[in-house]
Amino acid sequence: MIDSYAADIVRKIFSWKIDGFSLGAIAEKLNVRHVQSPKEYKKANGENYNSGFHSSDTPKWSAVQIKRILTNEVYIGNMVQGKQERISYKVKQRLDKPEAEWVKVENTHPAIIRQNDFDVVQKLKKIIAIPLSWLHAGCLSLC
């Protein structure tokens, strides 16, 4: 079942990226609007959430979180597993595996992002984005 509140936020993130906003600018927009970070949202809904990353007492959106969302194929209905492997069962350390070794199953669940929008965002990752401060200053061309 799709969480409509979270899905709307994800759609906005993709839309803002397509509109040319940087990862940091998107995070800033969410923080200024007091949108709960994924950790805050999950805790508020009674979920036991541990990302494995250390964070402050008041979690905020960050460019890293935005990047993870924009590159996560779960939003186009795909499940991807096997991205990492453990060095040994004795050691908690993990190594990233090459993408060719990942296990990807397409269309495992309903998509909330269109494939075309996802593809556009993946191409945009390579382009320099417009800093939010330029938009606040009213600059539509280089200031």
Side-chain angles (χ1 to χ4, degrees):
M1 178 186 252
I2 293 175
D3 178 336
S4 61
Y5 175 80
D8 287 343
I9 293 168
V10 169
R11 288 185 193 106
K12 285 178 188 173
I13 290 170
F14 273 85
S15 176
W16 288 331
K17 184 61 185 168
I18 290 169
D19 288 344
F21 287 93
S22 70
L23 302 177
I26 294 169
E28 184 178 335
K29 285 173 78 75
L30 293 166
N31 287 328
V32 166
R33 293 172 183 205
H34 304 289
V35 175
Q36 291 178 320
S37 70
K39 183 176 184 175
E40 289 176 306
Y41 181 69
K42 288 181 180 185
K43 280 186 168 186
N45 286 299
E47 294 181 44
N48 184 14
Y49 177 73
N50 182 5
S51 68
F53 296 95
H54 298 290
S55 63
S56 66
D57 292 335
T58 55
K60 297 291 181 197
W61 286 92
S62 70
V64 172
Q65 289 171 311
I66 302 302
K67 181 179 179 182
R68 285 190 189 124
I69 288 170
L70 292 173
T71 58
N72 192 338
E73 291 190 37
V74 74
Y75 300 116
I76 55 171
N78 297 343
M79 183 176 63
V80 181
Q81 295 180 316
K83 292 181 177 184
Q84 297 180 331
E85 64 184 343
R86 283 195 176 189
I87 296 172
S88 161
Y89 72 92
K90 296 179 181 180
V91 181
K92 289 185 178 182
Q93 186 177 0
R94 295 178 177 266
L95 292 176
D96 291 334
K97 293 171 69 174
E99 189 171 346
E101 295 180 21
W102 297 355
V103 177
K104 183 189 302 187
V105 182
E106 296 181 351
N107 302 313
T108 59
H109 55 276
I112 60 171
I113 300 296
R114 294 184 326 214
Q115 179 71 52
N116 184 56
D117 290 344
F118 186 84
D119 294 341
V120 167
V121 166
Q122 303 321 298
K123 291 175 185 170
L124 286 173
K125 287 188 320 184
K126 301 171 186 163
I127 299 173
I128 297 173
I130 302 166
L132 186 60
S133 60
W134 289 5
L135 296 176
H136 285 303
C139 299
L140 296 178
S141 61
L142 293 177
C143 294

